[in-house]
Every structure is written in C-alpha cells, then in structure tokens.
Amino acid sequence: MLVVDENNQLGIDESGFMDESDFNTPISILHNDIFQLFSETNIFMYKIYDLLSPNANDLIGLFFVGVYIKIHKQIQSAAVLLSRGLEEETKIMLRSILDKLFIMRAIYNDKDNFDKLLSHHNFERRSLNNAIKNKLPGLEKLPYNKNLPKGNRTSMKQWANLANMDARYNVVYRLFSTNIHCSLSSLESDLSIKDGSPYMIDICPHFEETAKLLLTILDDAFNTIDIIVNYFGIDKSEYNSLKDRIMVYQNNEFNK
C-alpha cells in the first residue's frame, strides 16, 4: 500500500500498489483463495527486486529488469480492476501485458532477438520522422532528423512466434483486441438486446470470468518471473511452491 515515511516522502510497502481494500471487495471475497494467492505472488515479486544485481554493461539484463517492473505494475493494475468488477478493462490490461511479455520471452529464448527489437524501434522512429517531414497534422512543430537509421518492423504475431507463445497470441491477444477497439461485440456486452432492440444499459460490475482472468494474470506473472529468476540465477524454492499451487487452481478452472 502507499505509505509516507518520516521525511514525508510517498512510497510503497511490501504489497506495492495494492492494499487490504483490494482483497475485501465482494468480488475478492467471492474468490478469496485465488486473490490471496495473487497477494502472495505480488509480495514475492517485490522480494525479487532485492535479489537483482544487473550489470551496467548487460543491456539485455537491464532490459529484462525494466520490462519486469512495467509488467509487475500492470499485473497489479489488472487485479485491482478485476476486484471491482471491471472485467473488460482487465482484458485490455492483459493484452497490454502480452505486448511486453512476448518480446521479453522472445529475447530470453534467443538473445539475437534483441537486435530485432532495436531494429523495430528504428523502424518506428523513422516512420514518425517521415510523418514529421510531411508535416502531418499535429506534427508541424516537431524537428525532422534526416540522419535516423533504417529499421525493420516485427509484428506482435512474429514476436509471439519467437516467444513460442502462439497459442497465447491466438487465444488471449487476438480475442481481447475486441475489448480495446470500438468493436460491435464489445459494445454489445454493455447492452441487453430483446426482440432486436436494446432494453437495458448494463453499467453493473461483471464477475462471471473473474476466476479465469485472475488465473491468466497469475500465469503472465509467473511467465515473467520465470525469465527473471532463471536469467539472474535466483533461488527457485518459493517460485516452485507458488507455481505448484497456482497450477492446481488452473487445472481445476480451465478443465471444467
């Protein structure tokens, strides 16, 4: 939770950005066992920071730490949303997590893929730079740089393939894209239709998929943790214990 120290500086405790209220909502209580398991996982992820010792010359190690931090924050955000019945918003967050996890896992699988990431960033920068050169609306005052290097684009589908996570791409990433974009299927989830006409606007909490979504969050968390503990040689005793417990819930929930 957020805390203020003796110097009146704002910080966080061992639970990070989450506090007791996130685990005491009606939805959290309904799925108490899995939310408590998430709480333990979240605390474990914070413990890992104290065990990290990246080398300043290890660009890939530094990259992994940076992505780990971002994914960890988004994992907490997703759990908070889910505890309030905001399932669609949770799906949007889960898709954003995969944007990072696919690349992180691909580079862990093959360090040469880091060069693909650098090339992709050059491609994106050059694309924006060309838009600036053409003075597209809103970009007229930005400086044009004629010396930017070229690059090659790598799609998210390609990153998922390099990560050996094609199933995750197809089942989660593609499926949840409808929640991000203004798709008809997404809009229909908030309107109840009867005899061809809307008869109710649904602004209530949604919790029908809470267990599955929370277990998906945990799966992303452990996929991320797995990269970190293996790359930095961190003891896996607590990791294995938590992972085994999560797998029990996953087997029960996804094999119904």
Side-chain angles (χ1 to χ4, degrees), residues 170-184:
N170 289 321
V171 176
V172 177
Y173 191 86
R174 292 185 67 182
L175 184 64
F176 289 175
S177 67
T178 60
N179 302 104
I180 290 180
H181 307 299
C182 191
S183 65
L184 293 179

Side-chain angles (χ1 to χ4, degrees), residues 54-66 107 114-115 118 231:
N55 189 303
N57 297 316
D58 180 7
L59 292 181
I60 291 178
L62 293 171
F63 171 77
F64 284 158
V65 172
I107 293 172
F114 190 70
D115 291 333
L118 297 178
Y231 188 84

